[in-house]
Amino acid sequence: PDSRFGRSLGWRAYATLLRTFHYIYYGLGHSQKLYPPTQLEYHHLSVAVDTMNSWMANACCLLWLVAAIGLTLYPSLTFAATDMVNYKHLNCDPSGKLPCPPLSTAPIVDFKPERSANRVRQPVHRLSRSYQEKYKLAVARMKALPASHPLSFTAQAAIHQAYCDGYYRYDDATAKNQTFDVHFSWIFAPWHRIYIYFYERALRELVGDDTFALPYWSWDAPEGMVIPPLFRDRSNNNSLYDPYRNKANLDKLVDLDYLSNARPVPIDFDGPKDENYTDAVNCNLCTVYDQQIRNGKGAVNFLGGVPNFTDTDNTDRSSSGTLEQMAHTAIHVWTGRAPNSTADNSTCAVEHDGSYNCRNDMGFLGSSGRDPLFYSHHANVDRLWHIWSTTLRGGNGFSNPAWLDASFVFFDGVRHPRRVRIKFRDVLDTRNLGYTYAAVADKPPFLSCNLTSLVPHGGGGGGGGKVAPTFPLTLKDGEVVEVPGVALPAAPPGPGQDRVLVIDRIEYDPTEENKFDVAINVPIESAAKVAPQYKEYVGCFAVVPSSVQSGGKMKGKVTLAIGDALADVAGNATTVDVVIVPRTPYEIKLYQAPTIRNTNMN
Ligand code: C2O
């Protein structure tokens, strides 16, 4: 009796209708260019259709149909299974033109903390031979998965691109279709922790070794300050090799203050350990020291501010923390910058207008996930966050529920893909994710930074007859801007407070690398030498290039913790002279003068 209905014309029409709705919801709204529905999805669909052969099942089916119509009338309901940030739903590319992460009808489950933290992430430069081989094998197997598989290497790279090149959108009460980004705000650290965690899980499954953990590129330790040879080896189709890296820097000493005082000739990592070499190492150590300690005080300064990518002047813009802005950004640009790259189009990131951006992989946010080095780089960024919150007692981050409850849906499971909804509060302790880092108890090398004064300090800056520039102004490479006599708040910082220097309403072109340094009480003629190993340095504004988001220009802000620098170089002064040192040739406009205020360090 079942098959009678099953073969009737009515049923076939019904099934066709069903398929149509299925495609509307899982197909049409999204790009099919890179990710046609997977075999798995087709399979689910036909199984569903085949089993619709009883009255009971048809009743369910009818409900499905009603639900589908309901979703058509109220499209916002379809977002219910997606990411939530600031209590807003994110949706990947409503226009349907961009390569979004693969679609899936796989069930969504809530993340459950792992039972034991028995996996130890180790520095790449100390891996055993067999561990190195395992890492290569895991990535090779990931690269061998078809692009349509959500845990293929191609799909993993596309996930990063979608989340940083503005493919994700959200609607506000006032503005529709706003671009979303996982960089430049307090989303940066937890989102990337989650992203590489699922990458690591997939690698583990691919080599069938439950103890496998993602190795980190320890560029903060002198022995790790070079692209690890494991990633440079071209033999046997090494899966960790990527040809799209800056060839000039392959075996050179990394520069964590890259773009600022760029060395005319990069230093050989294996070259003589002369003064030039040790100064460069010290600059690297101090960059990490500043991002972790001096300028990394308090959650906002270290992790970044509340996300807001709205381009209106009456709202608070988001800011990156030192964790993102300093060594992390330098490593991207140092590894990937090659202005005259002539890579073929297939390795280029797709811009919003459909054109290609052909920088080397790591030098551009949209393409950086295509370099396997990215994941070991981010494991180190993650480790420095871990060290900040544990050994350095930076704390758990923010207590704001908008941060704690932000949630993202990630693919999990190579053999049986499912989707996992995970919240920021789930990942604040890495043990919940089953891993920890090797040697966290060792003394971190950055504590050996040798910090000195760039210039002698007498009575502190007083403005003394210097002319203040007028804002807005446009920064020009090579022209230092001095803002004399910036007032310190009259009241001393209260308990749990410190002083921050804020430069708001910075306008820049996001497709270029942009950077300026900020220092206090440095005479204009010495300002070009400002760098993290000097006590006068208070931080920088720096971004990794990404796609043009809405409108071409982007607006940003920096908040820099300056308490230590004030104590070192300003004595009891009531004002300081601020110098802004442009480091890149692209136009950066500053609409507002820097201000200094007391703020809670949470
Ligand atoms: Cu999402 Cu290092 O970038």
Side-chain angles (χ1 to χ4, degrees), residues 160 183 192 328 332 365 374 378:
H160 187 257
H183 303 89
H192 286 80
H328 158 261
H332 270 282
L365 284 179
F374 173 96
H378 268 275

Side-chain angles (χ1 to χ4, degrees), residues 226-227 232 247-253 267-270:
V226 65
I227 296 178
R232 283 185 274 138
K247 303 211 168 35
N249 284 338
L250 290 183
D251 52 1
K252 304 300 181 209
L253 183 74
I267 301 171
D268 283 337
F269 177 73
D270 291 321

Side-chain angles (χ1 to χ4, degrees), residues 522-586:
V522 174
I524 207 153
E525 59 278 7
S526 302
K529 292 199 207 107
V530 157
Q533 68 271 35
Y534 298 119
K535 293 179 176 171
E536 295 86 349
Y537 174 88
V538 294
C540 67
F541 170 81
V543 293
V544 183
S546 61
S547 282
V548 180
Q549 316 226 344
S550 52
K553 298 277 179 190
M554 240 169 104
K555 287 225 176 100
K557 173 171 90 171
V558 277
T559 74
L560 308 168
I562 60 168
D564 289 359
L566 285 173
D568 286 342
V569 304
N572 296 322
T574 55
T575 65
V576 289
D577 296 340
V578 174
V579 289
I580 298 170
V581 191
R583 298 300 193 179
T584 44
Y586 312 104

Side-chain angles (χ1 to χ4, degrees), residues 327-453:
H328 158 261
T329 292
I331 284 285
H332 270 282
V333 183
W334 180 85
T335 311
R337 186 191 194 211
N340 302 318
S341 167
T342 47
D344 70 295
N345 280 356
S346 63
T347 66
C348 303
V350 184
E351 291 276 11
H352 284 191
D353 60 3
S355 68
Y356 292 100
N357 188 313
C358 304
R359 276 168 219 261
N360 282 319
D361 289 343
M362 280 281 278
F364 184 76
L365 284 179
S367 57
S368 55
R370 298 172 197 176
D371 188 337
L373 188 52
F374 173 96
Y375 305 89
S376 282
H377 168 43
H378 268 275
N380 201 35
V381 174
D382 187 67
R383 170 178 157 268
L384 289 169
W385 176 24
H386 177 69
I387 290 175
W388 182 84
S389 41
T390 55
T391 333
L392 301 178
R393 298 178 194 284
N396 276 337
F398 302 91
S399 51
N400 189 333
W403 188 68
L404 293 168
D405 290 332
S407 67
F408 287 85
V409 176
F410 274 82
F411 289 101
D412 183 35
V414 178
R415 260 164 235 104
H416 306 288
R418 56 177 194 157
R419 288 180 296 165
V420 177
R421 180 184 287 108
I422 185 164
K423 293 183 170 182
F424 286 0
R425 63 166 80 245
D426 295 328
V427 305
L428 304 185
D429 184 337
T430 68
R431 287 171 297 185
N432 279 351
L433 303 176
Y435 70 85
T436 154
Y437 284 99
V440 164
D442 293 358
K443 183 185 170 207
F446 57 79
L447 292 179
S448 333
C449 141
N450 177 21
L451 206 64
T452 54
S453 293

Side-chain angles (χ1 to χ4, degrees), residues 48-79:
V49 170
D50 289 348
T51 52
M52 293 299 162
N53 54 7
S54 71
W55 285 109
M56 187 62 163
N58 275 281
C60 292
C61 192
L62 207 63
L63 278 177
W64 191 8
L65 187 61
V66 168
I69 293 170
L71 292 177
T72 310
L73 299 176
Y74 301 99
S76 62
L77 286 177
T78 58
F79 297 172

